[in-house]
């Protein structure tokens, strides 16, 4: 791993973490031209102040936007939740990039959505819009020519047009069925030009409406998992049934047989795991667990004679279990907190239906893969 680069001269740990007062207006008047010019930050502390001022300006824009949200935003979420088609998101420039992100957010929380580029729309992509679709149009000014050129068509051939703009006094707002205003914000850019505060507010409002609509539709973590089968999110939301060793590949024995016989019976099953699950012969519910560590302790202490005792006398009674349908992250937490290597999976009646083995969890974490039921069980049992 390369050594970390040294901190810039003049910016030590104390000064970097200390509160920095807001910068004075970095602009001055050019005496020759009479124009306002920017004075670039010269020292490390001044540059750090610029970074912090930008973040503070955008956070202030979010605070103001949150206070001005109205029932129109709620109505937009309700229309989105009731949409029977797709949500078509459009916008140009920076607002277009925000729109693309919002379309991705909508899709990930259960609302079919895709982005429609205004320039491509007038060259045939308007054919994507259907009567059951709801359109979201992003434009800070509400005067973007490319968006206005397709606004009337979008409203006519969709279920409705929602405009998300700075205010309601603009042509796009006039063309829409519903207007959600985000407020007018001075941009954090030192020239007051580059979209920063306005796009941050636009993104936050889009996310807020998308998430409210998902709650109205009762979108659950299980629904979320269906749309995120890959990566860290997929692993977090995987259920234990998808990665456990199913009962046909587990070591199981009645609890009333001798330890020696339990180990022999359990050894007849496929791949070896680190524990034998012991069941009540009467109802097949899980009554205990006997691990390889338990066996090793018997042998190390020269208690071989106890191998002929009933395993019920030596097993761990009422072992920690996890219910079928639980999330993998809960199983990992139990394994970590209890410092155990095997975790039986039981059904609602207490019967074992599988086993989570720590080695299988470690292999998943190491590979970075998110399992499908078939792929994990195939690799876990051979």
């Amino acid at each position: 791993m390369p050594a970390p680069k040294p901190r810039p001269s003049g910016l030590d740990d104390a000064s970097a973490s200390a509160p920095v007062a807001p910068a004075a207006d970095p602009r001055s008047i050019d005496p020759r031209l009479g124009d306002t010019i920017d004075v670039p930050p010269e020292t490390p502390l001044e540059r750090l102040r610029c970074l912090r001022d930008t973040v503070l300006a955008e956070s202030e824009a979010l605070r103001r936007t949150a206070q001005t949200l109205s029932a129109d935003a709620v109505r937009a979420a309700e229309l989105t939740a009731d949409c029977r088609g797709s949500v078509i998101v459009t916008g140009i420039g920076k607002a277009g990039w925000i729109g693309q992100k919002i379309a991705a957010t909508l899709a990930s929380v259960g609302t079919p959505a895709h982005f429609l580029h205004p320039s491509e729309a007038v060259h045939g992509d308007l054919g994507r819009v259907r009567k059951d679709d709801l359109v979201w149009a992003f434009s800070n000014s509400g005067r973007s020519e490319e968006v206005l050129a397709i606004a009337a068509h979008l409203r006519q051939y969709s279920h409705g047009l929602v405009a998300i703009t700075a205010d309601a006094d603009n042509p796009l707002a006039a063309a829409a069925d519903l207007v959600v205003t985000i407020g007018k914000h001075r941009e954090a850019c030192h020239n007051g030009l580059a979209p920063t505060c306005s796009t941050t507010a636009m993104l936050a409002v889009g996310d807020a409406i998308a998430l409210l609509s998902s709650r109205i539709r009762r979108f659950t973590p299980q629904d979320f998992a269906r749309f995120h089968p890959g990566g860290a999110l997929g692993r977090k939301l995987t259920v234990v049934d998808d990665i456990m060793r199913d009962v046909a590949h587990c070591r199981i024995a009645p609890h009333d047989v001798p330890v020696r016989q339990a180990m022999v019976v359990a050894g007849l099953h496929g791949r070896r795991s680190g524990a034998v699950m012991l069941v009540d012969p009467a109802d097949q519910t899980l009554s205990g667990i006997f691990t390889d560590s338990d066996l090793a302790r018997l042998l190390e202490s020269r208690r071989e004679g106890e191998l002929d005792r009933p395993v019920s006398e030596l097993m761990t009674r009422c072992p920690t279990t996890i219910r079928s349908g639980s999330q993998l992250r809960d199983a990992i937490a139990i394994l970590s907190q209890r410092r155990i290597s095997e975790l039986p999976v039981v059904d609602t009646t207490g019967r074992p239906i599988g086993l989570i083995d720590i080695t299988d969890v470690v292999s998943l974490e190491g590979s970075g893969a998110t399992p499908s039921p078939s792929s994990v069980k195939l690799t876990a049992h051979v």
Side-chain angles (χ1 to χ4, degrees):
M1 180 181 296
K5 294 182 179 180
R7 190 182 297 280
S9 175
L11 188 61
D12 57 19
D13 290 326
S15 60
S17 60
V20 178
D25 193 333
R27 297 169 296 173
S28 62
I29 303 298
D30 187 332
R32 297 167 298 173
L33 304 175
D35 293 335
T36 300
I37 60 174
D38 178 62
V39 179
E42 297 293 344
T43 68
L45 195 57
E46 289 175 343
R47 291 170 180 172
L48 176 60
R49 181 183 290 116
C50 287
L51 293 175
R52 292 180 176 178
D53 284 349
T54 298
V55 174
L56 288 171
E58 296 196 15
S59 65
E60 173 61 16
L62 289 178
R63 187 190 65 81
R64 292 174 54 196
T65 301
Q67 291 180 338
T68 59
L69 284 177
S70 68
D72 292 328
V74 175
R75 181 57 181 153
E78 292 170 345
L79 289 172
T80 301
D82 293 338
C83 179
R84 296 183 178 181
S86 297
V87 173
I88 311 297
V89 184
T90 191
I92 198 73
K94 303 299 185 295
W97 288 108
I98 295 297
Q100 292 186 54
K101 190 276 177 188
I102 296 302
T105 297
L106 286 163
S108 72
V109 295
T111 300
H114 60 265
F115 181 76
L116 176 67
H117 196 288
S119 296
E120 297 296 334
V122 297
H123 292 283
D125 280 4
L126 282 172
R128 298 181 180 185
V129 182
R130 295 290 184 265
K131 275 294 184 182
D132 286 338
D133 295 338
L134 179 68
V135 179
W136 289 20
F138 287 93
S139 173
N140 186 50
S141 68
R143 292 175 169 79
S144 302
E145 294 180 1
E146 297 88 343
V147 177
L148 291 176
I150 60 174
H153 181 101
L154 293 175
R155 183 176 184 182
Q156 179 180 357
Y157 292 99
S158 70
H159 186 65
L161 172 60
V162 178
I164 301 176
T165 67
D167 57 38
D169 185 19
N170 59 70
L172 180 59
D177 297 290
L178 179 67
V179 183
V180 177
T181 60
I182 62 172
K184 293 185 176 181
H185 306 281
R186 187 182 188 282
E187 305 294 3
C189 164
H190 62 279
N191 293 318
L193 298 174
T196 45
C197 291
S198 60
T199 49
T200 297
M202 195 177 291
L203 177 64
V205 170
D207 280 340
I209 296 173
L211 294 179
L212 175 56
S213 69
S214 75
R215 294 189 67 180
I216 293 172
R217 298 175 71 170
R218 293 176 170 78
F219 189 76
T220 67
Q222 290 71 32
D223 295 324
F224 193 88
R226 288 192 295 115
F227 300 124
H228 297 78
L233 283 175
R235 289 195 298 277
K236 183 185 296 185
L237 295 169
T238 298
V239 294
V240 293
D241 306 66
D242 290 344
I243 72 120
M244 70 181 185
R245 305 180 184 200
D246 62 41
V247 69
H249 297 87
C250 291
R251 302 164 68 192
I252 299 179
H255 69 203
D256 58 355
V257 299
V259 174
R260 192 188 306 274
Q261 184 179 344
M263 301 303 291
V264 171
V265 172
L268 298 178
H269 293 290
R271 183 186 175 191
R272 181 181 176 83
S273 62
V276 179
M277 292 189 289
L278 301 160
V279 297
D280 187 329
D283 57 13
Q284 297 301 304
T285 57
L286 184 70
S287 55
I289 192 169
F290 189 80
T291 68
D292 287 352
S293 296
D294 296 328
L295 178 61
R297 279 190 288 271
L298 282 179
L299 299 178
E300 288 171 358
S301 59
R302 300 185 180 280
R303 296 157 55 197
E304 292 88 346
E306 296 189 16
L307 293 176
D308 294 316
R309 290 174 55 190
V311 69
S312 59
E313 297 180 5
L314 301 170
M315 69 184 184
T316 298
R317 295 180 177 275
C318 302
T320 301
T321 63
I322 192 166
R323 183 71 63 84
S324 172
S326 301
Q327 293 182 353
L328 176 60
R329 62 181 178 184
D330 297 328
I332 293 174
I334 292 172
L335 291 168
S336 175
Q337 293 166 5
R338 302 292 180 89
R339 298 182 179 277
I340 56 179
S341 299
E342 296 83 18
L343 182 62
V345 181
V346 298
D347 62 17
T348 56
T349 66
R351 294 186 176 91
I353 63 169
L355 181 77
I356 301 289
D357 191 287
I358 189 67
T359 58
D360 298 329
V361 174
V362 170
S363 66
L364 284 175
E365 291 293 314
S367 67
T370 300
S372 64
S374 59
S375 65
V376 172
K377 290 177 182 177
L378 182 62
T379 58
H381 304 147
V382 294

